[in-house]
Amino acid sequence: MSDVDHDQLYRVAESQAGYFTSGQARDVGMDLSTLSHHARPGGQYERVRRGLYRFRRFPSSPVEHLVAAWLPLRSAQAVVSHASALELYELSDLIPDVVHVSVPRANRGQRPRPGVRVHTQGEPLSPRDVRTVAGMAVTSPERAIVDSLNDGEQPEQVELAVRQALARGLTTRRRLRQVAAGRSKRVREFVDATTGRVDA
């Protein structure tokens, strides 16, 4: 136990709403028996689910449900996406009943996880499609908007997201139209019409 760097593990968890994986614990020198010892009732960690832990006294966060869903899939190159990305950017009034994450097609064979919907990306995301928000990889606002619309979210909520994103300078009409260009005619027309209605 003396070789375990608890401070380093805390620093890792601090950027992840207090959560860490068993793999991250191993990286700081903690073996499974030591992890189990610290995750016992009254210990400094709590076991959230298989392979996922949290510092018991870490302050709660409004985004911790997103971190808890994304973190175990991080090694599969997952990104928070769709309506969950809109929630993280505070761009709509949507409160998704599941956490949406996207993974590359090569990593699509992920086991089902309660409360998580895994989307498969047809093409790899470019660096400009991904941002880091609250320590998580998240699709860009324009990508989240277009993915949500394509996924069948309520048009009025997507329009609200467009208006908010443009008003707050999180994206531009040009970027929104570029991301929509490869989608269906319905998506392209919606984005063109909505961005056209927003005051310049």
Side-chain angles (χ1 to χ4, degrees), residues 32-43:
L32 186 57
S33 64
T34 304
L35 182 57
S36 295
H37 170 77
H38 287 292
R40 72 194 188 288

Side-chain angles (χ1 to χ4, degrees), residues 10-19 58 67 70 134-136:
Y10 186 86
R11 285 191 291 274
V12 169
E14 191 173 28
S15 67
Q16 299 171 167
Y19 290 84
F58 198 88
V67 176
W70 166 79
M136 294 174 281

Side-chain angles (χ1 to χ4, degrees), residues 41-186:
Q44 62 177 318
Y45 312 144
E46 60 181 306
R47 184 179 184 270
V48 178
R49 65 176 71 99
R50 181 181 175 187
L52 183 65
Y53 297 82
R54 185 180 189 279
F55 274 83
R56 193 175 299 277
R57 292 183 179 85
F58 198 88
S60 61
S61 160
V63 301
E64 67 181 80
H65 64 293
L66 298 172
V67 176
W70 166 79
L71 192 55
L73 292 164
R74 187 181 69 158
S75 61
Q77 298 175 295
V79 294
V80 177
S81 63
H82 295 73
S84 296
L86 295 184
E87 176 189 2
L88 191 54
Y89 289 119
E90 299 179 345
L91 288 178
S92 77
D93 297 329
L94 290 169
I95 303 175
D97 54 0
V98 295
V99 176
H100 295 262
V101 297
S102 293
V103 299
R105 186 178 300 279
N107 297 332
R108 68 181 178 266
Q110 301 300 314
R111 65 179 174 77
R113 288 168 167 81
V116 181
R117 181 172 171 201
V118 179
H119 301 267
T120 302
Q121 302 160 10
E123 297 177 15
L125 292 173
S126 72
R128 68 180 298 176
D129 285 331
V130 181
R131 296 190 184 173
T132 300
V133 181
M136 294 174 281
V138 183
T139 54
S140 65
E142 56 272 8
R143 178 72 187 239
I145 287 167
V146 171
D147 285 346
S148 295
L149 180 62
N150 198 57
D151 197 43
E153 291 295 348
Q154 302 166 20
E156 61 273 16
Q157 289 295 326
V158 179
E159 182 166 351
L160 174 62
V162 170
R163 290 178 175 278
Q164 297 255 36
L166 291 173
R168 289 165 47 197
L170 296 178
T171 191
T172 65
R173 291 172 178 75
R174 182 171 171 267
R175 288 203 305 261
L176 275 164
R177 289 171 177 157
Q178 283 175 337
V179 172
R183 303 302 178 93
S184 68
K185 181 180 179 184
R186 176 185 69 84

